Amino acid sequence: MTRAFVFPGQGAQTIGMGRDLAQAYPAAQAVFDEVDAALGEKLSTLIWEGDIDTLTLTANAQPALMATSVAALRALGAEGITVADHAAYVAGHSLGEYSALVAAGSLALADAARLLRIRGQAMQYAVPTGVGAMAALLGLDLDAARKVAREAAQGQVCEAANDNDPAQVVVSGHREAVERAIEIAKDHGAKRAILLPVSAPFHCKLMAPAARVMAQALDDVDIAAPVVPLIANVTASATSDPTYIRSLLVEQVTRSVRWRESVARMAALGVTEIWEIGAGKALSGMVRRIDKDLATLQIGTSQDVSHAKHSIEST
């Protein structure tokens, strides 16, 4: 069985995520301790005991989700399950790409925490509050969603931001254009079109100021070759080139997350099983809608780690 490890993005955050892992595995607790030290604050207290609205702030959610994913990965490592020995590829959805690179030894954990804090702040401040928006178009494929976005733009920005699965595409841009897209999508056969509760229009041209910030921040960070290839958001293809990875992380801020194509690429490369490592189950659902032949396993608790260990031992 050929396996890929994938890591969730924003929206998966919940109060209490990762606490069970930290209690059960010292290696998982050490992840939260290191992230707290890197940020100079007790992010772990917010994650486990805080207010969901504060945790959902982009600058908090991004490093918090990464920390939870890496904690789950380190718990797996304590049971002898490692990326090098048990995965052929890694991938992550948006900020999850940073988790994937930490998992594959390409980015240091502390560097990833600091980068994601910068990324979250930069993405939040790139567009004034209320100017941008995002909406999920359900029941439309990518081509149909792009047609809706072009029709809705009317001189403003409206772009396909996340190609999540065959019937779920997220558009992003100016609020007025995104609101027009919601109405137009219904005329194009969308089952539903809903405004998303996000604070900024991610993965579109309006994020250009944030991309410039990330280019500068990434220049100061060491990026090593990952121990297994990364399936990148921007290209939906595999790479192990640190220089290319650095440039892709900058492009990722303004470019679409090609998740549907990324999962299809993994399947084409021989992947038969995908493990979603971290909070939530959103990626597993997308994987099943993209390719019903791919097995999925979600790992976000100590019980999940036990299930994963049993799965390895029984194959």
Side-chain angles (χ1 to χ4, degrees):
M1 187 169 285
T2 302
R3 194 176 295 108
F5 288 180
V6 304
F7 301 85
Q10 206 158 327
Q13 65 275 1
T14 57
I15 295 298
M17 63 183 183
R19 178 164 46 190
D20 160 71
L21 290 164
Q23 291 170 341
Y25 292 95
Q29 177 65 58
V31 170
F32 290 104
D33 292 342
E34 187 172 346
V35 169
D36 286 350
L39 298 179
E41 64 181 71
K42 278 283 191 179
L43 184 64
S44 59
T45 300
L46 172 61
I47 297 169
W48 297 335
E49 303 170 13
D51 170 73
I52 187 60
D53 290 336
T54 306
L55 179 60
T56 298
L57 293 173
T58 303
N60 292 327
Q62 295 201 21
L65 285 162
M66 184 277 297
T68 303
S69 285
V70 176
L73 186 83
R74 297 285 167 81
L76 287 171
E79 298 291 356
I81 302 170
T82 65
V83 170
D85 293 332
H86 296 91
Y89 300 94
V90 294
H93 193 284
S94 190
L95 79 89
E97 196 155 78
Y98 286 77
S99 307
L101 290 168
V102 174
S106 189
L107 270 178
L109 173 60
D111 285 339
R114 288 187 287 263
L115 284 169
L116 285 172
R117 170 56 57 82
I118 293 167
R119 184 178 184 268
Q121 291 172 335
M123 293 174 86
Q124 181 62 63
Y125 298 140
V127 178
T129 303
V131 170
M134 300 180 77
L137 311 184
L138 307 179
L140 296 183
D141 63 15
L142 180 61
D143 287 343
R146 282 176 170 164
K147 187 178 296 184
V148 167
R150 286 195 298 270
E151 189 175 334
Q154 297 179 23
Q156 294 182 310
V157 171
C158 189
E159 299 172 2
N162 299 343
D163 179 17
N164 285 333
D165 65 42
Q168 184 191 125
V169 180
V170 174
V171 295
S172 180
H174 287 105
R175 176 172 286 274
E176 295 91 341
V178 171
E179 289 173 345
R180 285 193 294 270
I182 289 173
E183 296 307 313
I184 293 167
K186 296 170 185 175
D187 296 333
H188 282 257
K191 293 179 181 178
R192 290 178 68 202
I194 52 175
L195 207 62
L196 296 179
V198 296
S199 54
F202 307 133
H203 298 292
C204 74
K205 291 174 185 173
L206 295 179
M207 289 288 109
R212 290 192 289 271
V213 171
M214 290 312 298
Q216 186 172 10
L218 283 157
D219 275 345
D220 297 329
V221 171
D222 290 331
I223 298 179
V227 296
V228 299
L230 170 77
I231 306 295
N233 284 188
V234 171
T235 62
S237 61
T239 182
S240 296
D241 180 349
T243 301
Y244 191 34
I245 288 169
R246 191 186 304 273
S247 68
L248 289 172
L249 290 174
V250 176
E251 286 187 60
Q252 184 217 57
V253 177
T254 56
R255 298 275 296 277
S256 177
V257 176
R258 296 168 62 181
W259 189 252
R260 176 184 56 84
E261 293 174 87
S262 295
V263 172
R265 180 61 57 90
M266 286 185 267
L269 290 167
V271 169
T272 55
E273 183 176 74
I274 291 182
W275 287 14
E276 179 177 5
I277 300 177
K281 300 179 180 180
L283 297 186
S284 297
M286 292 176 196
V287 167
R288 288 191 291 270
R289 290 189 291 273
I290 294 164
D291 188 336
K292 291 181 175 63
D293 292 332
L294 288 170
T296 61
L297 189 66
Q298 200 281 329
I299 298 142
T301 67
S302 60
Q303 186 175 30
D304 294 336
V305 173
S306 296
H307 289 161
K309 183 180 179 183
H310 177 73
S311 174
I312 292 290
E313 291 172 345
S314 62
T315 56

